[in-house]
Amino acid sequence: MKILKFGSASTESPERITALKKIVENQDGQVVVVVPALKGIPEKLMQLCHLASSRDRDFFKVYNEVEGMHLDFISALFQGPKATEILNRINGYLKELSNIVNGIYLLGDITFKIQDKVLSFGGLMSSLIVREVIEGSELLDVRNLIKTNSDFGAARVNFAVTNRQIKFRFKNMAKIAVIPGFIGSNDRNETTTLGRGGTDYTASIFAAALDAGRLEIFTDVDGFMTADPKKVRKAFAIKSLSYAEAIELSHFGAEVVYTPTIQPVYLKNIEIHIKNILNPQAEGTVIAQVDKHRSDKLIKGISSIDDVSLVTLQGSGMVGPTDITGRLFDLLTRHNINIILITQASSEYSITFAFNPQDTELAIPLLEKEFEAEIKQRNELKILVEKELSVIAIVGEQMKNTPGISANLFSSLGRNGISVIATAQGSSELNISVVIKKESLKKALNVIHEGFFLSHIKELHLYLMGTGTVGKQLLEQIRLQKNKLLEEHKLNINVIGISNSRQMLMVQDGIDLENYAVQIEKQGERADMDLFLQKMRYLNYRNSIFVDCSASEKVAATYRDILLSFISVVTANKIACSSSYQLYKELKNIALEKKVKFMYETNVGAGLPIISTLNDLIRSGDKIISLEAVLSGTLNFILNTLSETTKFSDAVKMAREKGYSEPDPRTDLSGTDVIRKLLILARESGYQLEKEKIKVDPFLPDDVFKGSLDDFWKTVQKHDAGFETRRKQVSAKNRKLRYVASLNKGKASIGLQEIDSLHPAFLLDDSNNIIIIQTERYRDQPMVIKGYGAGAAVTAAGVFADIIRVANV
């Protein structure tokens, strides 16, 4: 004997019912098929009740939709006289339904008893259709078999009578019996319903009564999942669960199995197999007394309840031996208020309950009345209510006596800026439950799932601002390296958002870097930085990184809020770190406080490891005495390019064409870029330096920097002759011109210098940078870092390296 229960996915379309038929007909031995209403019908029947009792004539429209759905199924599944016969029988039910709903409309009122009657028609009609599809099957009226009390809406089963009725009826049973789920009847044969998940419960009742070999439940997923696949894309099917684990996961929101379903089969030690009607060959999940496939994972699954409220009873009246707790539980029991979670402070000063929002609205006035004297007269208690919350539970029998589970849970949440409002854990250590803000639910589920199930893979979510030369190079480098990082380093990088000055694009599952430019053009929207950041925060993905490859002051001004949102920042934009010392320090402190990263290695030296080296020296106890550096790859390229045949203005144009200079070369020629870099280096070296304290010796007059960019190109040519004269003078002395930035015991200066052949910067080629670091440890032989200091490719590589550093912390 086998019980097959089919979920709403099986009645979503005529094609699904045909698939159901194939599954049933392939079974060996006797089979009981438990079917739900056609998908969507229960909601429409409930809507009918509401509209008719409100005397809203729109109920006619909903009734016609109910009728139409059933007629459409019949016309798709049956032909000729058989279709007519089934249609006549369905019309009998529809006529009865119409009479009841019209009566509700005339009265303008409805009772739970009548509501149960209306809701029963869904299963009665669908089971009739399924019975006719499965040839040789027998249709049973489940109301004659499952007997309940008269608690309409959530009736309790009288198991003694029910089991006797089922056993007697199945003494001479056809090979295949079809029954509707969800309904029963009381001792007066009035229709009752079994409450939420009643179709699952029906199947379990029959399995236990008939001592079935197994209960198979067909859904639209491959079994019990490690988490809700609608919220966690990387959730996967669990091979097996114990009854206790399944009950815990179901209680906390996993909708694969209705919690009471497990009780009847648990008592008879009957296995439950969760299968996918769309993929019946899949292994699915086995629920049994003992876990049949012991996993190496510490937890089995994660479940959640989306919307709860916390109600706390707090005050001195709770402390010591009082009757308050007893009165509290008695009150909730008498009014059938379901408690989702309980937690109490060890001081006994407070006790907290989690309810669904509807029960909260019912509970508050009852509590206020029950404890009126303690609240208003003796001032011993107060009631606190928190709304818009969610509960998450991690479940697994292997958690017992295993250290580190709680640490993993809370650190996963904390690293991603998710605060835990309340927590509870039973002495059985079967589950740990946390209450968080509802807005953080999806992110929380993903970080917990990653921490327990995907700890071997780290996933980063990038939001790129700026698709100039550096931004484009970065995207290309990520594209080329993506698979290697995943395979060899278990690091998966997803670019979720890209924005330039004209358009922006955000794709929740990640942008295809093979053709992102085409995607932006076709699917993108007008660039709006505020909207871009708003969407980034709304998605609230774990391990999110905002990457700034722009040179925008407006973008740099957003770092503070981004870091406060628990999102790391990786930037090639020097503006934030070279503005006021107060802001620089504030950004670093926020990152430290929120446990996110603020990375800006490429602010100085492009891809050269300059800032990280300074940090390592200082963290290890060394002290920076002085720095001497050529920090402008642009200016070094220009000075190296000057010759008898290459004028100064031509060298500037060449630097811009090669991508070495800023879009406006005056930023480089004015020394502004080097000032920013030296300021950042000074601060990283431990000096609280402001820009105004840097001594700058300009090598071009003010007129070069006035007017438009077009004016600049005309004006700069006037200085070609002067530069050629100086070049000859320097060359005659076997020296070279270098634009040098210096820091000595906190005093900073910048200017054009002549250096001889003994200086480390003498042979500095092309756009290379060099920094000479003298410290207490490197006093006699200073540390030298030298290499490419400009160019889109090396800068992008530096940004990429910073992104990977975020993943490695």
Side-chain angles (χ1 to χ4, degrees), residues 318 322-330 344 351 371:
M318 295 288 300
T322 71
D323 66 342
I324 287 178
T325 303
R327 288 162 57 197
L328 176 59
F329 281 106
D330 180 62
Q344 183 172 22
I351 186 168
F371 299 106

Side-chain angles (χ1 to χ4, degrees), residues 139 333 559 561 666 706:
L139 178 63
T333 302
Y559 295 172
D561 289 339
R666 289 176 293 185
K706 294 178 180 178

Side-chain angles (χ1 to χ4, degrees), residues 527-670:
D528 182 328
M529 189 177 70
D530 291 337
L531 181 60
F532 185 84
L533 298 179
Q534 180 183 330
K535 287 185 174 185
M536 177 178 71
R537 292 191 189 95
Y538 174 77
L539 286 176
N540 207 18
Y541 283 148
R542 70 211 181 280
N543 303 328
S544 290
I545 305 175
F546 178 78
V547 183
D548 183 8
C549 288
S550 76
S552 166
E553 190 170 347
K554 185 179 178 183
V555 175
T558 65
Y559 295 172
R560 183 180 183 277
D561 289 339
I562 292 171
L563 291 169
L564 284 171
S565 301
F566 295 88
I567 296 171
S568 294
V569 173
V570 171
T571 179
N573 185 343
K574 294 177 277 289
I575 292 174
C577 288
S578 62
S579 58
S580 71
Y581 181 83
Q582 181 181 352
L583 176 62
Y584 159 84
K585 197 64 179 175
E586 182 185 19
L587 294 176
K588 289 174 71 77
N589 287 341
I590 291 172
L592 193 63
E593 176 190 341
K594 300 300 180 184
K595 294 182 174 61
V596 293
K597 290 297 168 184
F598 177 41
M599 310 290 280
Y600 43 90
E601 180 69 73
T602 55
N603 279 194
V604 181
L608 295 177
I610 295 174
I611 291 176
S612 57
T613 300
L614 288 175
N615 290 336
D616 289 343
L617 289 169
I618 292 169
R619 288 192 197 107
S620 65
D622 207 349
K623 183 178 180 181
I624 309 300
I625 298 172
S626 68
L627 302 173
E628 189 177 18
V630 173
L631 298 173
S632 174
T634 305
L635 291 177
N636 200 54
F637 172 81
I638 291 169
L639 295 172
N640 278 330
T641 304
L642 291 177
S643 68
E644 292 181 3
T645 58
T646 305
K647 297 178 289 187
F648 178 73
S649 60
D650 291 336
V652 174
K653 288 178 182 177
M654 291 168 66
R656 189 169 185 266
E657 289 167 359
K658 287 179 174 289
Y660 293 150
S661 78
E662 300 289 337
D664 185 343
R666 289 176 293 185
T667 302
D668 299 287
L669 297 175
S670 66

Side-chain angles (χ1 to χ4, degrees), residues 574-575 577-579 581 584 600-606 610-611 614 618 624-633 635 667-668 670-697 739-753 769-774:
K574 294 177 277 289
I575 292 174
C577 288
S578 62
S579 58
Y581 181 83
Y584 159 84
Y600 43 90
E601 180 69 73
T602 55
N603 279 194
V604 181
I610 295 174
I611 291 176
L614 288 175
I618 292 169
I624 309 300
I625 298 172
S626 68
L627 302 173
E628 189 177 18
V630 173
L631 298 173
S632 174
L635 291 177
T667 302
D668 299 287
S670 66
T672 300
D673 187 57
V674 177
I675 291 169
R676 290 172 177 164
K677 292 175 179 177
L678 181 57
L679 193 59
I680 293 168
L681 289 179
R683 290 169 175 176
E684 293 296 306
S685 299
Y687 298 101
Q688 297 183 22
L689 197 65
E690 297 288 359
K691 182 170 59 178
E692 294 74 22
K693 295 294 184 179
I694 298 177
K695 182 183 176 182
V696 181
D697 183 13
Y739 195 69
V740 178
S742 300
L743 177 72
N744 195 331
K745 297 179 180 178
K747 294 184 178 181
S749 62
I750 295 172
L752 202 59
Q753 294 184 18
N769 280 192
I770 188 171
I771 181 168
I772 305 155
I773 307 171
Q774 186 182 42

Side-chain angles (χ1 to χ4, degrees), residues 695-725:
K695 182 183 176 182
V696 181
D697 183 13
F699 63 89
L700 286 171
D702 290 344
D703 65 323
V704 174
F705 304 101
K706 294 178 180 178
S708 66
L709 189 56
D710 289 337
D711 294 332
F712 161 74
W713 290 115
K714 295 174 184 176
T715 307
V716 74
Q717 294 178 23
K718 297 177 184 178
H719 301 280
D720 287 345
F723 263 95
E724 175 58 16
T725 300

Side-chain angles (χ1 to χ4, degrees), residues 69-88:
M69 286 177 67
H70 287 88
L71 299 186
D72 288 344
F73 269 70
I74 292 168
S75 63
L77 292 167
F78 307 103
Q79 303 294 324
K82 189 169 186 178
T84 304
E85 177 195 344
I86 298 167
L87 187 59
N88 289 335

Side-chain angles (χ1 to χ4, degrees), residues 311-606:
V311 178
T312 300
L313 207 60
Q314 175 182 298
S316 59
M318 295 288 300
V319 180
T322 71
D323 66 342
I324 287 178
T325 303
R327 288 162 57 197
L328 176 59
F329 281 106
D330 180 62
L331 176 72
L332 298 175
T333 302
R334 280 189 281 114
H335 290 86
N336 293 317
I337 296 175
N338 182 49
I339 301 169
I340 297 170
L341 172 147
I342 307 171
T343 182
Q344 183 172 22
S346 58
S347 65
E348 299 182 332
Y349 186 70
S350 66
I351 186 168
T352 298
F353 297 87
F355 302 116
N356 68 47
Q358 295 78 17
D359 283 344
T360 302
E361 296 305 313
L362 176 61
I364 296 303
L366 292 172
L367 291 169
E368 290 172 341
K369 183 177 179 181
E370 177 69 27
F371 299 106
E372 183 176 11
E374 289 85 352
I375 295 170
K376 293 183 178 179
Q377 297 172 20
R378 298 201 292 270
N379 199 30
E380 293 177 342
L381 290 178
K382 59 181 177 180
I383 299 171
L384 307 175
V385 182
E386 297 176 82
K387 298 182 179 180
E388 296 292 313
L389 305 174
S390 297
V391 177
I392 296 175
I394 61 171
V395 174
E397 291 192 332
Q398 288 182 223
M399 295 197 308
K400 189 174 180 66
N401 298 323
T402 303
I405 301 290
S406 295
N408 190 347
L409 171 63
F410 290 109
S411 64
S412 294
L413 295 172
R415 281 197 308 270
N416 287 275
I418 301 166
S419 298
V420 174
I421 297 166
T423 183
Q425 181 177 15
S427 59
S428 67
E429 296 186 70
L430 187 58
N431 88 69
I432 302 173
S433 307
V434 293
V435 180
I436 62 169
K437 289 183 178 178
K438 185 178 177 180
E439 63 190 29
S440 299
L441 177 60
K442 185 175 180 180
K443 182 178 183 181
L445 288 170
N446 279 276
V447 301
I448 295 170
H449 193 267
E450 182 181 273
F452 283 101
F453 293 107
L454 304 173
S455 55
H456 62 296
I457 294 177
K458 187 150 191 177
E459 193 159 13
L460 300 182
H461 299 92
L462 306 189
Y463 302 85
L464 174 65
M465 185 66 68
T467 56
T469 54
V470 174
K472 286 177 181 175
Q473 279 286 337
L474 174 63
L475 292 172
E476 179 63 7
Q477 289 176 17
I478 292 172
R479 183 186 72 81
L480 293 173
Q481 196 70 1
K482 183 177 173 67
N483 289 337
K484 186 174 183 180
L485 285 172
L486 183 59
E487 291 170 9
E488 297 183 8
H489 302 281
K490 307 305 178 187
L491 178 62
N492 189 27
I493 298 180
N494 282 324
V495 179
I496 305 298
I498 299 175
S499 180
N500 55 37
S501 59
R502 297 179 297 103
Q503 287 181 294
M504 65 183 192
L505 176 67
M506 203 163 285
V507 178
Q508 293 190 23
D509 293 331
I511 297 169
D512 180 7
L513 297 185
E514 294 283 352
N515 61 348
Y516 72 89
V518 176
Q519 281 183 274
I520 292 174
E521 287 297 325
K522 290 184 176 180
Q523 302 169 28
E525 54 188 313
R526 185 176 61 82
D528 182 328
M529 189 177 70
D530 291 337
L531 181 60
F532 185 84
L533 298 179
Q534 180 183 330
K535 287 185 174 185
M536 177 178 71
R537 292 191 189 95
Y538 174 77
L539 286 176
N540 207 18
Y541 283 148
R542 70 211 181 280
N543 303 328
S544 290
I545 305 175
F546 178 78
V547 183
D548 183 8
C549 288
S550 76
S552 166
E553 190 170 347
K554 185 179 178 183
V555 175
T558 65
Y559 295 172
R560 183 180 183 277
D561 289 339
I562 292 171
L563 291 169
L564 284 171
S565 301
F566 295 88
I567 296 171
S568 294
V569 173
V570 171
T571 179
N573 185 343
K574 294 177 277 289
I575 292 174
C577 288
S578 62
S579 58
S580 71
Y581 181 83
Q582 181 181 352
L583 176 62
Y584 159 84
K585 197 64 179 175
E586 182 185 19
L587 294 176
K588 289 174 71 77
N589 287 341
I590 291 172
L592 193 63
E593 176 190 341
K594 300 300 180 184
K595 294 182 174 61
V596 293
K597 290 297 168 184
F598 177 41
M599 310 290 280
Y600 43 90
E601 180 69 73
T602 55
N603 279 194
V604 181

